[in-house]
Amino acid sequence: ETGVTQSPTHLIKTRGQQVTLRCSSQSGHNTVSWYQQALGQGPQFIFQYYREEENGRGNFPPRFSGLQFPNYSSELNVNALELDDSALYLCASSPTAPSYNEQFFGPGTRLTVL
Amino acid sequence: AQKITQTQPGMFVQEKEAVTLDCTYDTSDQSYGLFWYKQPSSGEMIFLIYQGSYDEQNATEGRYSLNFQKARKSANLVISASQLGDSAMYFCAMKGNTPLVFGKGTRLSVIA
């Protein structure tokens, strides 16, 4: 059983560009959540996808968008990058929504915006 | 709104000693869950332990135990017999009718 994987590991972009981050959920998991973790902070919830539909969103602007595919993998897209978007982006999958104690995190993608 | 407070930015503990990491929470939800995660320098969040708001007994998972005091709204993590590999960031989080809300974390350093 493979765990949650994310790509790329690191990414450097310039302000105004667009970026796509990818996440493959753990086998059998149909729910994916994305979090942003700024330096020195705890993760903040961006949004969640359940069976290809957005199922909850945190306090992030519309330029943060996502997709979930039939195989339950997911993408996070960020348009018009700003310097404050520099962070570790974490993806987590769980078998059902909501599930209290079965959310498994990937290793994250570290995004740097210059 | 839900809020998690971790008041210890950093903690030091001697190897083989026990250490308590503090966590207080605020919520108006009647049913909620409390979590602790470990984040090594690699970045991955590793689930350690879970406590449900209606669980009467404190949760334990190996060397980890959660000291749950509902009236005080606290959910402290106790790590017994600390090991060098326990050095990491530790996050307390809760989930009620909202997705996971995390605290700012405590950096634990285990000294040989």
Side-chain angles (χ1 to χ4, degrees), chain A residues 35 37 40-45 88 90 98-101 103 105-107 110, chain B residues 31-33 35 37 39 42-45 47 50 91 95-96 99-100 102-104:
Chain A
Y35 295 84
Q37 186 178 16
Q41 303 293 318
Q44 284 199 308
F45 175 73
L88 179 68
L90 294 163
S99 180
Y100 281 121
N101 60 346
Q103 191 163 89
F105 283 81
R110 192 165 297 280
Chain B
S31 177
Y32 51 88
F35 304 76
Y37 286 87
Q39 187 177 43
S42 60
E44 185 173 354
M45 299 290 279
F47 167 76
Y50 163 80
F91 290 94
K95 185 180 188 307
L100 273 176
F102 287 83
K104 290 190 174 182

PDB file of all heavy atoms in Angstrom, chain A residues 35 37 40-45 88 90 98-101 103 105-107 110, chain B residues 31-33 35 37 39 42-45 47 50 91 95-96 99-100 102-104:
ATOM      1  N   TYR A  35      -3.495  21.906   2.447  1.00  0.00           N
ATOM      2  CA  TYR A  35      -3.154  22.844   3.505  1.00  0.00           C
ATOM      3  C   TYR A  35      -1.954  23.686   3.066  1.00  0.00           C
ATOM      4  O   TYR A  35      -1.061  23.204   2.369  1.00  0.00           O
ATOM      5  CB  TYR A  35      -2.789  22.108   4.796  1.00  0.00           C
ATOM      6  CG  TYR A  35      -3.926  21.337   5.423  1.00  0.00           C
ATOM      7  CD1 TYR A  35      -4.247  20.052   4.994  1.00  0.00           C
ATOM      8  CD2 TYR A  35      -4.676  21.886   6.453  1.00  0.00           C
ATOM      9  CE1 TYR A  35      -5.288  19.344   5.562  1.00  0.00           C
ATOM     10  CE2 TYR A  35      -5.714  21.177   7.038  1.00  0.00           C
ATOM     11  CZ  TYR A  35      -6.013  19.907   6.582  1.00  0.00           C
ATOM     12  OH  TYR A  35      -7.048  19.217   7.151  1.00  0.00           O
ATOM     13  N   GLN A  37       1.197  25.787   4.751  1.00  0.00           N
ATOM     14  CA  GLN A  37       1.935  25.989   5.996  1.00  0.00           C
ATOM     15  C   GLN A  37       3.041  27.019   5.765  1.00  0.00           C
ATOM     16  O   GLN A  37       4.080  26.704   5.175  1.00  0.00           O
ATOM     17  CB  GLN A  37       2.528  24.680   6.516  1.00  0.00           C
ATOM     18  CG  GLN A  37       3.185  24.819   7.882  1.00  0.00           C
ATOM     19  CD  GLN A  37       3.735  23.514   8.414  1.00  0.00           C
ATOM     20  OE1 GLN A  37       3.902  22.542   7.694  1.00  0.00           O
ATOM     21  NE2 GLN A  37       4.012  23.483   9.709  1.00  0.00           N
ATOM     22  N   GLY A  40       7.088  28.809  10.215  1.00  0.00           N
ATOM     23  CA  GLY A  40       6.845  29.090  11.622  1.00  0.00           C
ATOM     24  C   GLY A  40       5.396  29.024  12.060  1.00  0.00           C
ATOM     25  O   GLY A  40       5.071  29.406  13.191  1.00  0.00           O
ATOM     26  N   GLN A  41       4.522  28.552  11.176  1.00  0.00           N
ATOM     27  CA  GLN A  41       3.089  28.472  11.487  1.00  0.00           C
ATOM     28  C   GLN A  41       2.601  27.034  11.366  1.00  0.00           C
ATOM     29  O   GLN A  41       3.278  26.173  10.803  1.00  0.00           O
ATOM     30  CB  GLN A  41       2.298  29.352  10.514  1.00  0.00           C
ATOM     31  CG  GLN A  41       2.710  30.806  10.501  1.00  0.00           C
ATOM     32  CD  GLN A  41       2.398  31.507  11.797  1.00  0.00           C
ATOM     33  OE1 GLN A  41       1.335  31.311  12.381  1.00  0.00           O
ATOM     34  NE2 GLN A  41       3.317  32.331  12.281  1.00  0.00           N
ATOM     35  N   GLY A  42       1.408  26.810  11.891  1.00  0.00           N
ATOM     36  CA  GLY A  42       0.755  25.532  11.655  1.00  0.00           C
ATOM     37  C   GLY A  42       0.060  25.539  10.303  1.00  0.00           C
ATOM     38  O   GLY A  42      -0.177  26.602   9.725  1.00  0.00           O
ATOM     39  N   PRO A  43      -0.255  24.373   9.778  1.00  0.00           N
ATOM     40  CA  PRO A  43      -0.962  24.305   8.485  1.00  0.00           C
ATOM     41  C   PRO A  43      -2.330  24.977   8.552  1.00  0.00           C
ATOM     42  O   PRO A  43      -2.998  24.924   9.587  1.00  0.00           O
ATOM     43  CB  PRO A  43      -1.110  22.796   8.247  1.00  0.00           C
ATOM     44  CG  PRO A  43      -0.055  22.166   9.103  1.00  0.00           C
ATOM     45  CD  PRO A  43       0.076  23.047  10.301  1.00  0.00           C
ATOM     46  N   GLN A  44      -2.714  25.591   7.439  1.00  0.00           N
ATOM     47  CA  GLN A  44      -4.049  26.202   7.322  1.00  0.00           C
ATOM     48  C   GLN A  44      -4.799  25.520   6.179  1.00  0.00           C
ATOM     49  O   GLN A  44      -4.255  25.359   5.087  1.00  0.00           O
ATOM     50  CB  GLN A  44      -3.922  27.699   7.041  1.00  0.00           C
ATOM     51  CG  GLN A  44      -3.532  28.511   8.261  1.00  0.00           C
ATOM     52  CD  GLN A  44      -3.865  29.967   8.075  1.00  0.00           C
ATOM     53  OE1 GLN A  44      -3.490  30.570   7.075  1.00  0.00           O
ATOM     54  NE2 GLN A  44      -4.594  30.534   9.012  1.00  0.00           N
ATOM     55  N   PHE A  45      -6.046  25.206   6.447  1.00  0.00           N
ATOM     56  CA  PHE A  45      -6.887  24.486   5.494  1.00  0.00           C
ATOM     57  C   PHE A  45      -7.207  25.365   4.291  1.00  0.00           C
ATOM     58  O   PHE A  45      -7.679  26.495   4.448  1.00  0.00           O
ATOM     59  CB  PHE A  45      -8.172  24.053   6.191  1.00  0.00           C
ATOM     60  CG  PHE A  45      -9.195  23.410   5.306  1.00  0.00           C
ATOM     61  CD1 PHE A  45      -9.015  22.122   4.819  1.00  0.00           C
ATOM     62  CD2 PHE A  45     -10.345  24.094   4.968  1.00  0.00           C
ATOM     63  CE1 PHE A  45      -9.974  21.534   4.012  1.00  0.00           C
ATOM     64  CE2 PHE A  45     -11.316  23.504   4.169  1.00  0.00           C
ATOM     65  CZ  PHE A  45     -11.121  22.224   3.690  1.00  0.00           C
ATOM     66  N   LEU A  88       4.996  25.776   2.550  1.00  0.00           N
ATOM     67  CA  LEU A  88       4.937  24.335   2.327  1.00  0.00           C
ATOM     68  C   LEU A  88       3.470  23.981   2.090  1.00  0.00           C
ATOM     69  O   LEU A  88       2.606  24.338   2.897  1.00  0.00           O
ATOM     70  CB  LEU A  88       5.475  23.587   3.548  1.00  0.00           C
ATOM     71  CG  LEU A  88       5.454  22.059   3.496  1.00  0.00           C
ATOM     72  CD1 LEU A  88       6.453  21.534   2.446  1.00  0.00           C
ATOM     73  CD2 LEU A  88       5.789  21.476   4.870  1.00  0.00           C
ATOM     74  N   LEU A  90       0.763  21.100   1.833  1.00  0.00           N
ATOM     75  CA  LEU A  90       0.562  19.721   2.252  1.00  0.00           C
ATOM     76  C   LEU A  90      -0.758  19.190   1.719  1.00  0.00           C
ATOM     77  O   LEU A  90      -1.773  19.884   1.739  1.00  0.00           O
ATOM     78  CB  LEU A  90       0.558  19.629   3.784  1.00  0.00           C
ATOM     79  CG  LEU A  90       1.887  19.953   4.483  1.00  0.00           C
ATOM     80  CD1 LEU A  90       1.650  20.243   5.952  1.00  0.00           C
ATOM     81  CD2 LEU A  90       2.857  18.810   4.321  1.00  0.00           C
ATOM     82  N   PRO A  98     -16.660  13.073   6.661  1.00  0.00           N
ATOM     83  CA  PRO A  98     -15.439  13.359   7.404  1.00  0.00           C
ATOM     84  C   PRO A  98     -14.922  12.112   8.128  1.00  0.00           C
ATOM     85  O   PRO A  98     -15.686  11.194   8.385  1.00  0.00           O
ATOM     86  CB  PRO A  98     -15.909  14.408   8.415  1.00  0.00           C
ATOM     87  CG  PRO A  98     -17.329  14.023   8.680  1.00  0.00           C
ATOM     88  CD  PRO A  98     -17.873  13.437   7.386  1.00  0.00           C
ATOM     89  N   SER A  99     -13.643  12.108   8.400  1.00  0.00           N
ATOM     90  CA  SER A  99     -13.065  10.984   9.127  1.00  0.00           C
ATOM     91  C   SER A  99     -12.105  11.532  10.162  1.00  0.00           C
ATOM     92  O   SER A  99     -11.098  12.110   9.823  1.00  0.00           O
ATOM     93  CB  SER A  99     -12.353  10.038   8.168  1.00  0.00           C
ATOM     94  OG  SER A  99     -11.798   8.951   8.874  1.00  0.00           O
ATOM     95  N   TYR A 100     -12.413  11.347  11.414  1.00  0.00           N
ATOM     96  CA  TYR A 100     -11.657  12.016  12.459  1.00  0.00           C
ATOM     97  C   TYR A 100     -10.197  11.663  12.501  1.00  0.00           C
ATOM     98  O   TYR A 100      -9.343  12.507  12.551  1.00  0.00           O
ATOM     99  CB  TYR A 100     -12.272  11.716  13.825  1.00  0.00           C
ATOM    100  CG  TYR A 100     -13.491  12.541  14.131  1.00  0.00           C
ATOM    101  CD1 TYR A 100     -14.694  11.924  14.389  1.00  0.00           C
ATOM    102  CD2 TYR A 100     -13.433  13.923  14.175  1.00  0.00           C
ATOM    103  CE1 TYR A 100     -15.814  12.678  14.690  1.00  0.00           C
ATOM    104  CE2 TYR A 100     -14.550  14.684  14.465  1.00  0.00           C
ATOM    105  CZ  TYR A 100     -15.742  14.060  14.733  1.00  0.00           C
ATOM    106  OH  TYR A 100     -16.843  14.803  15.021  1.00  0.00           O
ATOM    107  N   ASN A 101      -9.895  10.409  12.535  1.00  0.00           N
ATOM    108  CA  ASN A 101      -8.521  10.050  12.855  1.00  0.00           C
ATOM    109  C   ASN A 101      -7.833   9.284  11.743  1.00  0.00           C
ATOM    110  O   ASN A 101      -6.920   8.530  11.978  1.00  0.00           O
ATOM    111  CB  ASN A 101      -8.467   9.244  14.149  1.00  0.00           C
ATOM    112  CG  ASN A 101      -9.272   7.972  14.061  1.00  0.00           C
ATOM    113  OD1 ASN A 101     -10.066   7.811  13.158  1.00  0.00           O
ATOM    114  ND2 ASN A 101      -9.069   7.063  14.992  1.00  0.00           N
ATOM    115  N   GLN A 103      -6.539  10.757   8.611  1.00  0.00           N
ATOM    116  CA  GLN A 103      -6.073  11.692   7.591  1.00  0.00           C
ATOM    117  C   GLN A 103      -4.570  11.539   7.484  1.00  0.00           C
ATOM    118  O   GLN A 103      -3.836  11.792   8.451  1.00  0.00           O
ATOM    119  CB  GLN A 103      -6.454  13.127   7.951  1.00  0.00           C
ATOM    120  CG  GLN A 103      -6.250  14.099   6.826  1.00  0.00           C
ATOM    121  CD  GLN A 103      -7.001  15.405   7.043  1.00  0.00           C
ATOM    122  OE1 GLN A 103      -6.453  16.317   7.638  1.00  0.00           O
ATOM    123  NE2 GLN A 103      -8.219  15.492   6.573  1.00  0.00           N
ATOM    124  N   PHE A 105      -0.974  12.454   5.682  1.00  0.00           N
ATOM    125  CA  PHE A 105      -0.337  13.558   4.965  1.00  0.00           C
ATOM    126  C   PHE A 105       0.792  13.087   4.064  1.00  0.00           C
ATOM    127  O   PHE A 105       1.496  12.126   4.373  1.00  0.00           O
ATOM    128  CB  PHE A 105       0.226  14.574   5.964  1.00  0.00           C
ATOM    129  CG  PHE A 105      -0.809  15.466   6.589  1.00  0.00           C
ATOM    130  CD1 PHE A 105      -1.577  15.025   7.657  1.00  0.00           C
ATOM    131  CD2 PHE A 105      -1.026  16.742   6.099  1.00  0.00           C
ATOM    132  CE1 PHE A 105      -2.535  15.848   8.234  1.00  0.00           C
ATOM    133  CE2 PHE A 105      -1.981  17.575   6.668  1.00  0.00           C
ATOM    134  CZ  PHE A 105      -2.727  17.123   7.735  1.00  0.00           C
ATOM    135  N   GLY A 106       0.980  13.819   2.973  1.00  0.00           N
ATOM    136  CA  GLY A 106       2.124  13.621   2.113  1.00  0.00           C
ATOM    137  C   GLY A 106       3.296  14.439   2.610  1.00  0.00           C
ATOM    138  O   GLY A 106       3.184  15.184   3.586  1.00  0.00           O
ATOM    139  N   PRO A 107       4.436  14.346   1.928  1.00  0.00           N
ATOM    140  CA  PRO A 107       5.649  15.035   2.375  1.00  0.00           C
ATOM    141  C   PRO A 107       5.655  16.528   2.064  1.00  0.00           C
ATOM    142  O   PRO A 107       6.500  17.254   2.577  1.00  0.00           O
ATOM    143  CB  PRO A 107       6.757  14.313   1.602  1.00  0.00           C
ATOM    144  CG  PRO A 107       6.082  13.806   0.380  1.00  0.00           C
ATOM    145  CD  PRO A 107       4.678  13.471   0.779  1.00  0.00           C
ATOM    146  N   ARG A 110       7.391  22.375  -1.321  1.00  0.00           N
ATOM    147  CA  ARG A 110       7.848  23.682  -0.826  1.00  0.00           C
ATOM    148  C   ARG A 110       7.910  24.654  -1.995  1.00  0.00           C
ATOM    149  O   ARG A 110       8.712  24.460  -2.920  1.00  0.00           O
ATOM    150  CB  ARG A 110       9.215  23.557  -0.151  1.00  0.00           C
ATOM    151  CG  ARG A 110       9.594  24.811   0.618  1.00  0.00           C
ATOM    152  CD  ARG A 110      10.760  24.569   1.570  1.00  0.00           C
ATOM    153  NE  ARG A 110      10.481  23.606   2.625  1.00  0.00           N
ATOM    154  CZ  ARG A 110       9.815  23.875   3.730  1.00  0.00           C
ATOM    155  NH1 ARG A 110       9.346  25.094   3.928  1.00  0.00           N
ATOM    156  NH2 ARG A 110       9.628  22.941   4.646  1.00  0.00           N
TER     157      ARG A 110
ATOM    158  N   SER B  31     -19.334  18.118  19.832  1.00  0.00           N
ATOM    159  CA  SER B  31     -18.597  16.928  19.429  1.00  0.00           C
ATOM    160  C   SER B  31     -17.388  17.357  18.608  1.00  0.00           C
ATOM    161  O   SER B  31     -17.520  18.093  17.633  1.00  0.00           O
ATOM    162  CB  SER B  31     -19.498  16.005  18.602  1.00  0.00           C
ATOM    163  OG  SER B  31     -18.776  14.886  18.161  1.00  0.00           O
ATOM    164  N   TYR B  32     -16.226  16.922  19.037  1.00  0.00           N
ATOM    165  CA  TYR B  32     -15.009  17.312  18.315  1.00  0.00           C
ATOM    166  C   TYR B  32     -13.924  16.281  18.588  1.00  0.00           C
ATOM    167  O   TYR B  32     -14.051  15.422  19.479  1.00  0.00           O
ATOM    168  CB  TYR B  32     -14.540  18.717  18.732  1.00  0.00           C
ATOM    169  CG  TYR B  32     -14.424  18.923  20.225  1.00  0.00           C
ATOM    170  CD1 TYR B  32     -13.249  18.615  20.902  1.00  0.00           C
ATOM    171  CD2 TYR B  32     -15.501  19.412  20.958  1.00  0.00           C
ATOM    172  CE1 TYR B  32     -13.148  18.790  22.270  1.00  0.00           C
ATOM    173  CE2 TYR B  32     -15.417  19.594  22.320  1.00  0.00           C
ATOM    174  CZ  TYR B  32     -14.240  19.287  22.985  1.00  0.00           C
ATOM    175  OH  TYR B  32     -14.145  19.461  24.342  1.00  0.00           O
ATOM    176  N   GLY B  33     -12.877  16.353  17.802  1.00  0.00           N
ATOM    177  CA  GLY B  33     -11.737  15.471  17.981  1.00  0.00           C
ATOM    178  C   GLY B  33     -10.471  16.284  18.146  1.00  0.00           C
ATOM    179  O   GLY B  33     -10.329  17.361  17.553  1.00  0.00           O
ATOM    180  N   PHE B  35      -6.182  16.098  18.032  1.00  0.00           N
ATOM    181  CA  PHE B  35      -5.110  15.346  17.408  1.00  0.00           C
ATOM    182  C   PHE B  35      -3.758  15.936  17.780  1.00  0.00           C
ATOM    183  O   PHE B  35      -3.639  17.139  18.027  1.00  0.00           O
ATOM    184  CB  PHE B  35      -5.207  15.426  15.870  1.00  0.00           C
ATOM    185  CG  PHE B  35      -6.506  14.980  15.278  1.00  0.00           C
ATOM    186  CD1 PHE B  35      -7.637  15.788  15.343  1.00  0.00           C
ATOM    187  CD2 PHE B  35      -6.604  13.762  14.639  1.00  0.00           C
ATOM    188  CE1 PHE B  35      -8.839  15.386  14.779  1.00  0.00           C
ATOM    189  CE2 PHE B  35      -7.797  13.353  14.063  1.00  0.00           C
ATOM    190  CZ  PHE B  35      -8.903  14.166  14.139  1.00  0.00           C
ATOM    191  N   TYR B  37       0.144  15.831  15.956  1.00  0.00           N
ATOM    192  CA  TYR B  37       0.960  15.429  14.821  1.00  0.00           C
ATOM    193  C   TYR B  37       2.415  15.797  15.101  1.00  0.00           C
ATOM    194  O   TYR B  37       2.703  16.798  15.752  1.00  0.00           O
ATOM    195  CB  TYR B  37       0.532  16.149  13.530  1.00  0.00           C
ATOM    196  CG  TYR B  37      -0.749  15.646  12.928  1.00  0.00           C
ATOM    197  CD1 TYR B  37      -1.981  16.162  13.328  1.00  0.00           C
ATOM    198  CD2 TYR B  37      -0.731  14.659  11.946  1.00  0.00           C
ATOM    199  CE1 TYR B  37      -3.161  15.707  12.756  1.00  0.00           C
ATOM    200  CE2 TYR B  37      -1.912  14.207  11.377  1.00  0.00           C
ATOM    201  CZ  TYR B  37      -3.114  14.739  11.785  1.00  0.00           C
ATOM    202  OH  TYR B  37      -4.283  14.280  11.235  1.00  0.00           O
ATOM    203  N   GLN B  39       6.011  16.691  13.111  1.00  0.00           N
ATOM    204  CA  GLN B  39       6.530  17.108  11.812  1.00  0.00           C
ATOM    205  C   GLN B  39       8.059  17.183  11.878  1.00  0.00           C
ATOM    206  O   GLN B  39       8.634  18.156  12.374  1.00  0.00           O
ATOM    207  CB  GLN B  39       5.953  18.452  11.380  1.00  0.00           C
ATOM    208  CG  GLN B  39       6.335  18.831   9.957  1.00  0.00           C
ATOM    209  CD  GLN B  39       5.696  20.128   9.505  1.00  0.00           C
ATOM    210  OE1 GLN B  39       5.638  21.105  10.235  1.00  0.00           O
ATOM    211  NE2 GLN B  39       5.190  20.153   8.266  1.00  0.00           N
ATOM    212  N   SER B  42      11.781  16.941   7.507  1.00  0.00           N
ATOM    213  CA  SER B  42      11.402  16.548   6.145  1.00  0.00           C
ATOM    214  C   SER B  42      10.061  17.149   5.725  1.00  0.00           C
ATOM    215  O   SER B  42       9.768  17.247   4.533  1.00  0.00           O
ATOM    216  CB  SER B  42      11.323  15.024   6.035  1.00  0.00           C
ATOM    217  OG  SER B  42      10.363  14.519   6.944  1.00  0.00           O
ATOM    218  N   GLY B  43       9.237  17.552   6.681  1.00  0.00           N
ATOM    219  CA  GLY B  43       7.992  18.249   6.357  1.00  0.00           C
ATOM    220  C   GLY B  43       6.727  17.424   6.493  1.00  0.00           C
ATOM    221  O   GLY B  43       5.647  17.981   6.629  1.00  0.00           O
ATOM    222  N   GLU B  44       6.819  16.110   6.439  1.00  0.00           N
ATOM    223  CA  GLU B  44       5.620  15.293   6.495  1.00  0.00           C
ATOM    224  C   GLU B  44       4.982  15.344   7.879  1.00  0.00           C
ATOM    225  O   GLU B  44       5.663  15.303   8.886  1.00  0.00           O
ATOM    226  CB  GLU B  44       5.971  13.843   6.150  1.00  0.00           C
ATOM    227  CG  GLU B  44       4.799  12.906   6.067  1.00  0.00           C
ATOM    228  CD  GLU B  44       5.203  11.536   5.567  1.00  0.00           C
ATOM    229  OE1 GLU B  44       6.370  11.351   5.182  1.00  0.00           O
ATOM    230  OE2 GLU B  44       4.341  10.637   5.545  1.00  0.00           O
ATOM    231  N   MET B  45       3.661  15.454   7.911  1.00  0.00           N
ATOM    232  CA  MET B  45       2.923  15.453   9.179  1.00  0.00           C
ATOM    233  C   MET B  45       2.585  14.011   9.535  1.00  0.00           C
ATOM    234  O   MET B  45       1.901  13.320   8.786  1.00  0.00           O
ATOM    235  CB  MET B  45       1.610  16.243   9.046  1.00  0.00           C
ATOM    236  CG  MET B  45       1.793  17.690   8.695  1.00  0.00           C
ATOM    237  SD  MET B  45       2.484  18.627  10.036  1.00  0.00           S
ATOM    238  CE  MET B  45       1.044  18.910  11.027  1.00  0.00           C
ATOM    239  N   PHE B  47       0.769  11.451  12.060  1.00  0.00           N
ATOM    240  CA  PHE B  47      -0.273  11.337  13.073  1.00  0.00           C
ATOM    241  C   PHE B  47       0.242  10.557  14.271  1.00  0.00           C
ATOM    242  O   PHE B  47       0.837   9.495  14.134  1.00  0.00           O
ATOM    243  CB  PHE B  47      -1.492  10.629  12.471  1.00  0.00           C
ATOM    244  CG  PHE B  47      -2.495  10.178  13.486  1.00  0.00           C
ATOM    245  CD1 PHE B  47      -3.342  11.093  14.083  1.00  0.00           C
ATOM    246  CD2 PHE B  47      -2.603   8.843  13.847  1.00  0.00           C
ATOM    247  CE1 PHE B  47      -4.279  10.683  15.018  1.00  0.00           C
ATOM    248  CE2 PHE B  47      -3.530   8.427  14.770  1.00  0.00           C
ATOM    249  CZ  PHE B  47      -4.367   9.345  15.360  1.00  0.00           C
ATOM    250  N   TYR B  50      -5.100  10.468  18.891  1.00  0.00           N
ATOM    251  CA  TYR B  50      -6.406  11.107  18.740  1.00  0.00           C
ATOM    252  C   TYR B  50      -7.229  10.931  20.016  1.00  0.00           C
ATOM    253  O   TYR B  50      -7.180   9.882  20.667  1.00  0.00           O
ATOM    254  CB  TYR B  50      -7.148  10.464  17.563  1.00  0.00           C
ATOM    255  CG  TYR B  50      -8.630  10.735  17.555  1.00  0.00           C
ATOM    256  CD1 TYR B  50      -9.117  11.944  17.078  1.00  0.00           C
ATOM    257  CD2 TYR B  50      -9.540   9.793  18.035  1.00  0.00           C
ATOM    258  CE1 TYR B  50     -10.473  12.197  17.074  1.00  0.00           C
ATOM    259  CE2 TYR B  50     -10.895  10.053  18.037  1.00  0.00           C
ATOM    260  CZ  TYR B  50     -11.362  11.253  17.554  1.00  0.00           C
ATOM    261  OH  TYR B  50     -12.700  11.519  17.554  1.00  0.00           O
ATOM    262  N   PHE B  91       2.474  19.456  16.566  1.00  0.00           N
ATOM    263  CA  PHE B  91       1.292  20.284  16.384  1.00  0.00           C
ATOM    264  C   PHE B  91       0.076  19.632  17.018  1.00  0.00           C
ATOM    265  O   PHE B  91      -0.186  18.439  16.825  1.00  0.00           O
ATOM    266  CB  PHE B  91       1.002  20.497  14.890  1.00  0.00           C
ATOM    267  CG  PHE B  91       2.008  21.380  14.204  1.00  0.00           C
ATOM    268  CD1 PHE B  91       3.093  20.831  13.545  1.00  0.00           C
ATOM    269  CD2 PHE B  91       1.863  22.756  14.224  1.00  0.00           C
ATOM    270  CE1 PHE B  91       4.029  21.640  12.911  1.00  0.00           C
ATOM    271  CE2 PHE B  91       2.788  23.578  13.594  1.00  0.00           C
ATOM    272  CZ  PHE B  91       3.876  23.016  12.939  1.00  0.00           C
ATOM    273  N   LYS B  95     -10.771  19.080  15.279  1.00  0.00           N
ATOM    274  CA  LYS B  95     -11.741  19.009  14.192  1.00  0.00           C
ATOM    275  C   LYS B  95     -13.121  18.871  14.810  1.00  0.00           C
ATOM    276  O   LYS B  95     -13.387  17.929  15.534  1.00  0.00           O
ATOM    277  CB  LYS B  95     -11.450  17.823  13.286  1.00  0.00           C
ATOM    278  CG  LYS B  95     -12.332  17.734  12.069  1.00  0.00           C
ATOM    279  CD  LYS B  95     -11.963  16.533  11.229  1.00  0.00           C
ATOM    280  CE  LYS B  95     -12.716  16.534   9.911  1.00  0.00           C
ATOM    281  NZ  LYS B  95     -14.162  16.662  10.060  1.00  0.00           N
ATOM    282  N   GLY B  96     -13.983  19.868  14.524  1.00  0.00           N
ATOM    283  CA  GLY B  96     -15.371  19.768  14.960  1.00  0.00           C
ATOM    284  C   GLY B  96     -16.245  19.737  13.732  1.00  0.00           C
ATOM    285  O   GLY B  96     -16.150  18.832  12.908  1.00  0.00           O
ATOM    286  N   PRO B  99     -12.970  21.733   9.131  1.00  0.00           N
ATOM    287  CA  PRO B  99     -11.765  20.933   8.914  1.00  0.00           C
ATOM    288  C   PRO B  99     -10.740  21.148  10.016  1.00  0.00           C
ATOM    289  O   PRO B  99     -10.924  21.995  10.891  1.00  0.00           O
ATOM    290  CB  PRO B  99     -11.249  21.464   7.571  1.00  0.00           C
ATOM    291  CG  PRO B  99     -12.412  22.114   6.934  1.00  0.00           C
ATOM    292  CD  PRO B  99     -13.238  22.662   8.033  1.00  0.00           C
ATOM    293  N   LEU B 100      -9.671  20.399   9.944  1.00  0.00           N
ATOM    294  CA  LEU B 100      -8.630  20.473  10.964  1.00  0.00           C
ATOM    295  C   LEU B 100      -8.120  21.899  11.157  1.00  0.00           C
ATOM    296  O   LEU B 100      -7.809  22.592  10.186  1.00  0.00           O
ATOM    297  CB  LEU B 100      -7.449  19.585  10.570  1.00  0.00           C
ATOM    298  CG  LEU B 100      -7.481  18.121  10.965  1.00  0.00           C
ATOM    299  CD1 LEU B 100      -6.270  17.404  10.380  1.00  0.00           C
ATOM    300  CD2 LEU B 100      -7.526  17.955  12.460  1.00  0.00           C
ATOM    301  N   PHE B 102      -5.083  23.852  13.239  1.00  0.00           N
ATOM    302  CA  PHE B 102      -3.818  23.561  13.894  1.00  0.00           C
ATOM    303  C   PHE B 102      -3.358  24.717  14.776  1.00  0.00           C
ATOM    304  O   PHE B 102      -3.673  25.887  14.516  1.00  0.00           O
ATOM    305  CB  PHE B 102      -2.722  23.322  12.846  1.00  0.00           C
ATOM    306  CG  PHE B 102      -2.829  22.009  12.116  1.00  0.00           C
ATOM    307  CD1 PHE B 102      -3.672  21.870  11.023  1.00  0.00           C
ATOM    308  CD2 PHE B 102      -2.084  20.918  12.513  1.00  0.00           C
ATOM    309  CE1 PHE B 102      -3.773  20.669  10.344  1.00  0.00           C
ATOM    310  CE2 PHE B 102      -2.165  19.707  11.831  1.00  0.00           C
ATOM    311  CZ  PHE B 102      -3.009  19.585  10.751  1.00  0.00           C
ATOM    312  N   GLY B 103      -2.591  24.379  15.809  1.00  0.00           N
ATOM    313  CA  GLY B 103      -1.863  25.380  16.568  1.00  0.00           C
ATOM    314  C   GLY B 103      -0.576  25.752  15.855  1.00  0.00           C
ATOM    315  O   GLY B 103      -0.286  25.244  14.770  1.00  0.00           O
ATOM    316  N   LYS B 104       0.218  26.618  16.477  1.00  0.00           N
ATOM    317  CA  LYS B 104       1.466  27.082  15.860  1.00  0.00           C
ATOM    318  C   LYS B 104       2.628  26.126  16.090  1.00  0.00           C
ATOM    319  O   LYS B 104       3.689  26.285  15.486  1.00  0.00           O
ATOM    320  CB  LYS B 104       1.830  28.471  16.381  1.00  0.00           C
ATOM    321  CG  LYS B 104       0.887  29.556  15.889  1.00  0.00           C
ATOM    322  CD  LYS B 104       1.413  30.944  16.224  1.00  0.00           C
ATOM    323  CE  LYS B 104       0.516  32.005  15.596  1.00  0.00           C
ATOM    324  NZ  LYS B 104       1.019  33.369  15.843  1.00  0.00           N
TER     325      LYS B 104
END
